[in-house]
Amino acid sequence: MASNQQFTTRPQLEGTFGMVASTHWLASAAGMAVLEAGGNAFDAAVATGLVLQVVEPHLNGPGGEVPIIGHAGASAETFVLCGQGTAPAAATVPAFEALGIDLIPGNGLLAATVPGAFGAWMLLLRQYGTMRLRDVMSYAIGYAADGYPMLASASALIEAMAPTFTVDWPTSAQVYLAGGNAPAPGSRFTNRVLAATYTRVLADAEAAASDRDGQIEAARRAWYEGFVAEAIDSYLGHAEVMDVTGRPQRGLLTGDDLASWQASVEPPVTVDYHGLTVCKTGPWGQGPVFGQQLRLLDGFDLAAMGTGSAELVHTITECAKLAFADREAWYGDPDQADVPLAALLSPPYADERRSLVTGESSGDLRPGAPEGRAPRLPGYALADFGLAAAQPSADWGHVAQDAATGDPTLGQGTLSTATLGPGDTCHLDVADRFGNLVSATPSGGWLQSSPIVPGLGFCLGSRAQMFTLSPGFASTLAPRRRPRTTLSPGLALRDGVPYLAFGTPGGDQQDQWTMGFFINHVVFGMNLQEAIDAPAFHTDHFPSSFYPRGSRPRSLTLEDRHDPAVIADLRRRGHDVTVSSSWSLGRISAVARDPESGFLYAGANARGMQGYAAGR
């Protein structure tokens, strides 16, 4: 994994003991501390993930979700752990129709699903880890109770949300607006309510059992059947919360929904490419899109195109458009719907679809017909492509327009997703000396998604916004169904042996930014840090997974470090190019292992100035 470039923002880390890479330096340090204390990669991942919930509350939280992909070296098992909570039992299309809503709001309580993150971390710890509960929870409890430096991005978001917190979401104001003001960037911030929640979970677990597995199970029960579930059930049983519809809305999630759900383990979806077996989640996540892109790209000589070339960027972008169009038409929870995944990932299907890639930018949204099935698209996906008249996004009749900005405003608070944008995400990767590898993408439960649940110190998620209310799709809202999310950790094997774990925040861009990284590493031989630092690009051609689900046909956004001649060529091909600032797209991290030399490697993203890798 030698270098072939002269410039990176930092060195690729190399060692033999362990590597942790994540989107926040404190989380990476916590994971490394667990490895140093004798834990394995899965123990370290749990500690890292719990710290991310504390120090990046605008990017994930305990009320969110997490998909995890791991390889257990001792058993040679590669697994996907689903920490995506399901829709409430009361969440039906008719229930939203009765409210006059045709797109599930992007914030408030209506979009809450079961908070799956805690259950997923507990399952990972119990089934694959080695350490006791206290050993991995202590870092998050310490930062929540004693404080951590407030990120500038989190401070700015809290400042933007301050009117909403003050007017509409007072429980959030109690935590994030102490003294009436947003915490300053770099100031020491505590969330003692969250610290008390985690401390009580740990105390209840240790009181219930003396053995490790018993304590982990008792902690899970405290969350999904005990005091945490009771607090959520009590709050949602009476709260009416302002959301982007412009009206106070009651939530649908109940304690019974939490008690009926458990995280689960399943096999990964795999695609072979250039000697690697790439592992992703099932179609309840976005992961198969990565596999579909690889199938399409396998028919092109990418090496001959050259890294950073217009031909390469164009080809990757056009293949992404085809794969993401299939996502809109076919993906969803395979436990409740018939998703033709084998056909979507088959080489013959890719051969058929590849013929649609020409030298010009396509302006169409073109799902395919796997197994000969006629494709359909949800209502929200049609208007931007001239396929149907524009449909109302939601009941906007109650939303006033701010005279200065045109943004929707709700009373004195502001809940416009156009103003704040959707919540973002975190990522972590860990490799250890025992041959274990793990990649996870925690998200949801953002401080801007809904009010903090009284007494818990965290808010619920809004992942149900990714369901469609159009009937007959695998992604159509239904009780106890998993939403089709954007979360997409990745893991690759070489000859059945774990080689690479990688991922990024970024919603719909996750499987585009990581595709650029992956091709730079696998095809062009860049080491992890070089591939992360290389200029990034993506398209928003297809419908966003986030409310209000808009599209930008032919769009292509590139960092301005791309060659001006490349940018001009892409415009000539018909791409609607937006040139972004130099270090603005993606927050990729990655770890790798070489089984022959025993070396471990790691790289982390400089963009946003908070991601770091640690290792030795």
Side-chain angles (χ1 to χ4, degrees), residues 150-162 182-183 185 420:
M150 174 61 63
L151 292 169
S153 55
S155 173
L157 194 142
I158 295 168
E159 180 68 34
M161 290 295 297
L420 296 175

Side-chain angles (χ1 to χ4, degrees), residues 272-293:
D272 292 333
Y273 183 80
H274 281 227
L276 298 178
T277 299
V278 179
C279 305
K280 285 286 187 173
T281 71
W284 51 267
Q286 186 172 274
V289 160
F290 197 87
Q292 285 197 250
Q293 291 177 89

Side-chain angles (χ1 to χ4, degrees), residues 21-23 427-429 501-504 532 587-591 603-605:
S22 84
T23 48
H427 186 76
L428 65 93
D429 305 289
F502 62 98
T504 182
I532 290 169
R587 291 170 63 207
I588 296 168
S589 66
V591 299
N605 188 55

Side-chain angles (χ1 to χ4, degrees), residues 329-398:
W330 301 110
Y331 286 23
D333 186 349
D335 289 347
Q336 290 202 20
D338 181 13
V339 180
L341 190 60
L344 289 168
L345 292 171
S346 69
Y349 181 75
D351 293 342
E352 175 187 336
R353 298 279 280 161
R354 194 179 300 114
S355 65
L356 297 174
V357 177
T358 70
E360 301 296 319
S361 171
S362 170
D364 299 322
L365 189 64
R366 300 177 290 182
E371 300 174 346
R373 304 187 195 184
R376 296 170 54 237
L377 289 167
Y380 64 78
L382 303 176
D384 289 330
F385 294 90
L387 299 175
Q391 301 178 5
S393 297
D395 182 0
W396 289 92
H398 297 268

Side-chain angles (χ1 to χ4, degrees), residues 284-334:
W284 51 267
Q286 186 172 274
V289 160
F290 197 87
Q292 285 197 250
Q293 291 177 89
L294 289 179
R295 287 284 193 227
L296 291 165
L297 292 171
D298 209 18
F300 296 95
D301 187 354
L302 302 186
M305 296 178 187
T307 181
S309 69
E311 186 68 20
L312 181 75
V313 173
H314 170 79
T315 301
I316 292 175
T317 300
E318 293 305 296
C319 289
K321 291 178 183 179
L322 295 173
F324 278 89
D326 278 340
R327 183 195 72 171
E328 294 306 308
W330 301 110
Y331 286 23
D333 186 349

